Amino acid sequence: MISLDFNFNVLTRDLSLYLENQVKVGLFGSGVLSLVLGFSAAYAYYYLISVAKKPQLISGGKKFYQFLRDQCPVVSETYYPTFWCWESRIQTVLRPFVTAKPGVSYRNELIRAEDGGQISLDWFDNDDSASHPNSATRPTVLLLPGLTGTSRESYILHMVQQSRDLGYRWVVLISTTPRTYCAANTEDLEAVIEHIQRTNEDAPLMAAGVSMGGMMLANYLGRKGRETCLKGVVVFSAGWDVFECTASLEKPLDRFLFNSYLTSCLQAGVDRHKSILEKSYDIDHVMKAKTLREFDERFTSIMFGYPTNDDYYHDASPIHRLKSVQVPMLCLNAADDVFSPSHAIPVEAVKQNPNLALLITCHGGHIGFLEGLWPRQSTYMDRVFKQFAKAVIEQGGDLNDLSS
C-alpha cells in the first residue's frame, strides 16, 4: 500500500564498495572509525529516506479532512519512529516496557448489566480542572482498552494524563468477565454510555478505543448510526477484518510472539470463572487451545450463540459496518501492524463515508508509535489523541453535518 522511495540496490552497491575499500585500508589506522562512520551515515540515510515519513490521511469528505488538517497538525507532520526500534514487532513488544506509567488514582464504580452481571468502571474525575471547574459540564472521555487490557496499561495512563492536561474527566471500561472477549457484542458498551450520559447529562462525551476496544466502538457506531450521544470517536490499531487479522497472527514468528501469549491471557480469564462457566462449556477443551482461532472456535463463538466461528468473525469485523457510522471517527493504523495487516485496512470503505477519516503511518506496530530518542513520556498515538480530543470537544460545532 505504501511504497518505499529508496533504491536498495544502490545502497547495497555503494556500501559494498565502501566496505571493500575499508578492508583494503585495514583496521590499523583510522579504519575502525571510518567503518563506524560509514555504517552510521548509511543507516541515517536509510532512516530519513525510508522510515521517517508523513502519514497518509484519508477521509470520505472534504469537510472532515480539512477539519483535521486545521485542528490536528500532527496528521500533517512527519512521524519519526524511535530510530533504534522502528520495526513493527520491536515497537509492539517494547512499548509496555520503555514508556512511563504516570501515577493515577481512580475511583471505581460497579454498575449492573442487563444480564445481571457487573460492569467495572474506573473514573478519573479531574476535580482540580482549571479549564472546566464545573463538574456538571466537564467534558468526559470514555476509553476502551485492548483485549484483556486494564486501566493500568501504559497507553491508558498516557491518555489519562493527556486528558488531565486538557481538564477533562476520564472513565475506563474494565474487562471483568469473558463477555468482553467478543468484539461483536456491544451490549455492555451501550449500557455504559447510557449510564455516563444519565450521570453527566450536560457534559459532552467522546470515546477512544484501542485494538479490540476500537473494534467494539466501531461496531457500536455502525449499529447505532445517529442514535448515540458521542460527539466523536478515535480508534487506535483496530483490526478491521478479523479473518485477515487472525491469519496474520498465525504466521510462525507472530504466533510465537503474540498469538500464544494472548491465547493464554484469555484462558486465564476463563479459568477465573471456571466454576460458573464449566456448567455450560467444555472448559478443559477451551484450556487446550493453542491459538486465538482455536479459543474462539471452542469458547467465544459458542458463548455468543454463533452457528460457526466464521459467522462470529464476520459479525465482529467492523469493516462491514463502516458505511453506517454517523459520528466523526478518526482511525489510526500503522501499515506494518501484524495484528491488522495493511491490505485489510479499509481505505475504500472510509472513502465512501464523510464521517470517517483514516490516518496511516508507515511504521508504529500495534499500539506502539514510539518516537524520540528515548520514548518514555509521549508517543505519536498520544499526540493524535490529545489534539483530536481537544478539537472534538472545543471545536465540535465544525463537525456538524459532515455530509454537506
Side-chain angles (χ1 to χ4, degrees):
M1 177 187 298
I2 301 177
S3 61
L4 298 178
D5 301 326
F6 185 76
N7 192 324
F8 288 97
N9 293 327
V10 172
L11 175 63
T12 304
R13 183 196 64 199
D14 292 348
L15 188 57
S16 297
L17 290 174
Y18 174 82
L19 293 176
E20 182 180 350
N21 182 63
Q22 290 305 313
V23 171
K24 291 178 181 178
V25 171
L27 301 179
F28 299 100
S30 60
V32 174
L33 177 59
S34 298
L35 188 64
V36 171
L37 291 175
F39 267 115
S40 299
Y43 185 84
Y45 180 69
Y46 171 76
Y47 175 87
L48 292 174
I49 296 298
S50 300
V51 177
K53 289 181 175 291
K54 289 186 177 182
Q56 182 182 9
L57 178 62
I58 301 162
S59 179
K62 293 182 179 179
K63 190 173 182 179
F64 196 14
Y65 179 89
Q66 194 60 48
F67 175 86
L68 292 171
R69 298 270 296 185
D70 293 343
Q71 303 297 331
C72 305
V74 67
V75 305
S76 304
E77 298 171 359
T78 298
Y79 167 48
Y80 293 93
T82 299
F83 78 95
W84 52 268
C85 67
W86 50 265
E87 196 275 333
S88 168
R89 296 169 186 83
I90 298 177
Q91 285 244 341
T92 304
V93 171
L94 286 186
R95 188 266 310 157
F97 301 103
V98 301
T99 53
K101 291 189 174 183
V104 176
S105 296
Y106 290 108
R107 170 178 62 86
N108 184 257
E109 179 186 17
L110 296 176
I111 64 175
R112 183 73 61 180
E114 288 188 6
D115 65 351
Q118 288 185 323
I119 303 173
S120 180
L121 301 176
D122 273 356
W123 289 84
F124 177 74
D125 296 303
N126 205 7
D127 290 329
D128 296 329
S129 172
S131 55
H132 299 279
N134 186 351
S135 176
T137 58
R138 185 177 304 141
T140 303
V141 181
L142 168 65
L143 177 69
L144 279 70
L147 186 64
T148 73
T150 72
S151 59
R152 294 296 171 183
E153 304 295 335
S154 61
Y155 61 83
I156 297 289
L157 295 173
H158 277 225
M159 286 192 281
V160 170
Q161 186 178 48
Q162 303 285 350
S163 296
R164 178 167 52 195
D165 294 343
L166 292 170
Y168 303 161
R169 178 193 294 114
W170 189 273
V171 56
V172 185
L173 173 57
I174 304 299
S175 170
T176 57
T177 71
R179 279 181 56 83
T180 56
Y181 294 169
C182 178
N185 184 276
T186 60
E187 294 176 1
D188 286 356
L189 175 57
E190 292 180 32
V192 167
I193 291 175
E194 291 173 3
H195 172 74
I196 296 173
Q197 185 182 28
R198 288 195 303 270
T199 307
N200 307 278
E201 293 182 351
D202 298 323
L205 175 63
M206 70 165 292
V210 181
S211 191
M212 173 74 87
M215 295 168 65
M216 294 179 69
L217 263 177
N219 281 326
Y220 163 81
L221 291 181
R223 287 195 174 107
K224 301 296 288 186
R226 296 187 182 277
E227 298 177 3
T228 178
C229 60
L230 295 179
K231 303 300 182 184
V233 166
V234 59
V235 168
F236 302 106
S237 296
W240 299 103
D241 186 323
V242 181
F243 291 101
E244 297 295 336
C245 298
T246 306
S248 179
L249 288 173
E250 287 173 345
K251 295 177 181 177
L253 180 58
D254 299 319
R255 175 171 174 167
F256 171 75
L257 289 174
F258 308 115
N259 202 323
S260 298
Y261 171 74
L262 287 173
T263 302
S264 65
C265 289
L266 295 176
Q267 290 169 326
V270 170
D271 192 54
R272 285 194 296 268
H273 300 85
K274 183 176 180 179
S275 60
I276 298 175
L277 295 173
E278 64 183 358
K279 299 174 183 178
S280 304
Y281 310 98
D282 186 350
I283 300 302
D284 290 337
H285 191 49
V286 173
M287 299 304 288
K288 292 178 182 178
K290 301 298 182 183
T291 65
L292 292 172
R293 187 190 301 271
E294 289 181 359
F295 180 88
D296 289 332
E297 288 172 346
R298 301 175 187 187
F299 182 76
T300 312
S301 61
I302 298 174
M303 183 181 192
F304 289 91
Y306 289 96
T308 68
N309 194 57
D310 283 356
D311 290 314
Y312 163 52
Y313 277 7
H314 182 275
D315 196 33
S317 299
I319 191 171
H320 303 300
R321 295 192 176 91
L322 290 180
K323 62 179 180 294
S324 301
V325 173
Q326 298 297 317
V327 171
M329 182 169 74
L330 172 64
C331 313
L332 173 64
N333 280 91
D336 64 353
D337 184 353
V338 298
F339 284 70
S340 183
S342 60
H343 64 269
I345 296 177
V347 173
E348 294 306 317
V350 168
K351 290 180 179 179
Q352 303 304 314
N353 187 335
N355 298 290
L356 301 177
L358 184 60
L359 189 64
I360 306 174
T361 58
C362 284
H363 300 280
H366 188 69
I367 327 176
F369 301 103
L370 302 177
E371 61 182 358
L373 181 62
W374 186 246
R376 288 283 292 169
Q377 303 304 323
S378 179
T379 68
Y380 181 81
M381 185 175 102
D382 298 337
R383 294 197 292 129
V384 171
F385 163 76
K386 185 175 183 178
Q387 292 183 18
F388 184 70
K390 183 179 181 181
V392 168
I393 296 298
E394 300 180 14
Q395 306 293 332
D398 295 342
L399 294 174
N400 294 333
D401 193 15
L402 289 175
S403 60
S404 62

